[in-house]
Amino acid sequence: MAAPVITPAGPLAKKGKETQNFSANQSVTWSASGGSFTNVTATTATWHAPNDGGNYTVTGTNGSAEATHVTVTVTGVVPAVPSWGFEVENKKKVLLFEADDGTRETRTKGPRKRTFTFTTRLRPKAEFLELETFWDAHYPGKQVYFTHPGTSVEVLYWIDSPLKEQWTITGFLSYSFVLQQV
């Protein structure tokens, strides 16, 4: 028996917690290196991406142990929205120098980039634990998507600070961290 044909074939790119429907041209057993499946039949499955950025493999294996693999690259999405607010700092790469005649000269390179100080107040412990797991998986070095609360556009950022937390006696807590635009 020939190896199954899985569509879409990939490589694919997804955001954390997105879904992807897969189908095979023959009966297969579905497996994945991360994420989960729903609506599984012998020839179709819906794969749910984890919110941990990285490369994952979705595999369809037929009865003859022939397998087809699809690689999916996932970029995480910040799982919480600021409740208290956020401080935004806009900056550009600027070379500042003094010319021979004493005037100040500048050279600007690249587009404006934003830094968000992401702040929440009095949030449930479960929300913090989800964000703490997300932070652990993405800091430092992995890009994440974040939607600026004033728009609906998702932009790539780095998590650029420690995760700060402040507990209250009522069991709620506040937390903050900094996002730097890529």
Side-chain angles (χ1 to χ4, degrees):
M1 181 181 282
V5 176
I6 296 177
T7 53
L12 303 173
K14 290 288 176 190
K15 294 177 185 172
K17 298 185 179 182
E18 281 189 329
T19 61
Q20 176 64 55
N21 294 320
F22 288 99
S23 62
N25 67 338
Q26 56 187 276
S27 293
V28 296
T29 301
W30 297 98
S31 62
S33 62
S36 61
F37 288 103
T38 57
N39 305 322
V40 178
T41 70
T43 58
T44 63
T46 301
W47 180 71
H48 299 267
N51 202 19
D52 186 0
N55 291 321
Y56 297 91
T57 304
V58 174
T59 304
T61 307
N62 67 17
S64 300
E66 296 283 337
T68 299
H69 309 282
V70 176
T71 301
V72 184
T73 301
V74 174
T75 302
V77 178
V78 176
V81 177
S83 64
W84 187 256
F86 52 94
E87 180 180 322
V88 181
E89 182 179 316
N90 294 291
K91 61 184 174 182
K92 290 186 171 193
K93 288 185 179 181
V94 176
L95 174 63
L96 177 64
F97 59 95
E98 187 175 321
D100 289 338
D101 66 2
T103 60
R104 295 185 82 183
E105 299 285 333
T106 62
R107 299 288 183 266
T108 304
K109 182 179 178 183
R112 175 181 66 166
K113 294 195 176 188
R114 292 181 169 157
T115 300
F116 281 87
T117 302
F118 184 103
T119 306
T120 64
R121 297 278 192 257
L122 302 177
R123 300 302 279 260
K125 179 181 176 183
E127 177 186 293
F128 171 74
L129 294 176
E130 178 186 9
L131 186 94
E132 181 179 46
T133 301
F134 178 83
W135 185 90
D136 285 342
H138 292 86
Y139 178 77
K142 288 186 183 177
Q143 296 177 356
V144 298
Y145 281 104
F146 175 66
T147 303
H148 182 297
T151 71
S152 60
V153 178
E154 287 184 323
V155 179
L156 282 173
Y157 287 85
W158 301 102
I159 296 176
D160 200 31
S161 76
L163 177 60
K164 300 174 186 173
E165 57 188 271
Q166 181 180 2
W167 292 81
T168 65
I169 39 180
T170 60
F172 289 100
L173 69 147
S174 302
Y175 57 89
S176 66
F177 59 94
V178 176
L179 294 168
Q180 170 66 53
Q181 190 172 357
V182 172

